Amino acid sequence: MQTFTIPTPDDWHLHLRDEAMLATTVPASAAVFNRAVIMPNLVPPVTTVEAAMAYRQRILQQLPETYRFQPMMALYLTAETTPELVAEAAANEHIIGFKLYPSGATTNSAAGVKSVDALAPVLEAMQQHEVPLLVHGEVTDADVDIFDREKVFIDRHLRPITEKFPTLRLVLEHITTADAVAFVEESSEYVAATMTPQHLLMNRNDLLVGGVRPHNYCLPILKRRSHQMELQRAALSGNPKFFLGTDSAPHTQDKKETACGCAGCYSAPAAIELYAEFFDAHGALDKLADFASGFGADFYRMPRNTNELTLVKETWQVPATVDTANGPMVPYWSGESLNWKVQS
């Protein structure tokens, strides 16, 4: 097979950052994806419909005229979020849901939630208005091992949430563990998960063996191989609860290669090719279309895309760096070869 065509994919978890960085990040994702869920962890965070619409406009201003990209905005869930705001968001076609960041869990999450239990009135409103909850599923307690944070969050918070709000539509983002796979598989049709290329293609050896590799550092952190294999099994299973969300997270090289490097992998320059690499390596290219272009749209109750994207079997190298107005970025898979390339 020398070419492979799928419906144009969507990215159900994307960081674009803001201001000058948008000139680089928006075209990179818009060249491949029809729609993307835009993460709200700016500084200050995007906590209101008004702020989300202003951010959306800044994104659209960087969109090349020939692209059909639709940014779908998420609002940052805080202790100040109200049921009234949930109703306002539900009435806006450009707002897709609310993002729950535990305070301190990842980049720009200081304003995040400190008490999940206190969110009950807001979660009730989200269930009532059918507004999805997008979850960064990690606890941040100092006494919890970083490799166990996802499992503890699921047991401590997600299971009670799904029991108390059984029809709340919930997406556990960028899952990393066998525990997360089991939770999603065992939960109702209202629970789904996104998967990143780095968590499918790598495990913690790729972060730590031979020295720390800062451009493979992300949160939730890469886990042991046994967890990676469970993620792979779920992605290859054809289960509609699992779908594409790159979590592409741009940071300039100087912010990654430092004593306290930022968490995040900037995968946008090779996003769909990375997923194609994974599915092809497992003899399952026929599963890519649903994973990348179908299951996410179905869960979010949106029409599947009718336009198409073609991949060509052609070996190429991911660029060593990507220039931005803020300085160079080192993309995920930098300098490494991939066997599929988007047809121009």
Side-chain angles (χ1 to χ4, degrees), residues 121-199:
V122 171
L123 298 181
E124 176 62 43
M126 293 178 67
Q127 179 174 253
Q128 176 188 348
H129 292 283
E130 299 185 331
V131 175
L133 175 66
L134 287 55
V135 180
H136 182 116
E138 292 188 287
V139 298
T140 56
D141 309 52
D143 61 341
V144 177
D145 190 290
I146 190 170
F147 292 102
D148 296 330
R149 287 179 171 186
E150 186 171 89
K151 179 186 186 307
V152 173
F153 188 92
I154 290 168
D155 292 339
R156 185 183 296 174
H157 298 301
L158 285 193
R159 293 189 191 280
I161 285 174
T162 56
E163 290 170 4
K164 189 170 184 178
F165 306 101
T167 61
L168 174 65
R169 293 159 64 205
L170 185 151
V171 181
L172 183 52
E173 305 279 17
H174 43 50
I175 61 171
T176 67
T177 60
D179 309 278
V181 170
F183 168 73
V184 173
E185 289 180 331
E186 294 164 3
S187 295
S188 75
E189 65 194 77
Y190 294 95
V191 175
T194 58
M195 291 180 160
T196 75
Q198 62 266 25
H199 292 110

Side-chain angles (χ1 to χ4, degrees), residues 97-114:
F98 283 79
K99 182 61 183 279
L100 192 165
Y101 287 107
S103 181
T106 189
T107 302
N108 300 339
S109 63
V113 172
K114 291 183 171 67

Side-chain angles (χ1 to χ4, degrees), residues 44-123:
V46 180
T47 58
T48 66
V49 171
E50 181 181 18
M53 292 303 96
Y55 182 29
R56 185 175 187 272
Q57 190 57 39
R58 295 195 297 276
I59 293 168
L60 292 175
Q61 287 171 355
Q62 299 298 331
L63 187 64
E65 288 185 5
T66 57
Y67 290 5
R68 302 173 58 178
F69 185 68
Q70 300 174 50
M72 298 173 292
M73 314 308 294
L75 297 186
Y76 196 115
L77 192 61
T78 73
E80 284 71 49
T81 303
T82 64
E84 291 75 20
L85 178 58
V86 172
E88 182 185 0
N92 189 305
E93 64 178 336
H94 301 304
I95 306 292
I96 198 165
F98 283 79
K99 182 61 183 279
L100 192 165
Y101 287 107
S103 181
T106 189
T107 302
N108 300 339
S109 63
V113 172
K114 291 183 171 67
S115 172
V116 175
D117 293 340
L119 295 175
V122 171
L123 298 181

Side-chain angles (χ1 to χ4, degrees), residues 39 67 217 223 293 303 309 320:
M39 293 296 105
Y67 290 5
Y217 172 52
K223 303 300 194 297
S293 314
L309 176 141

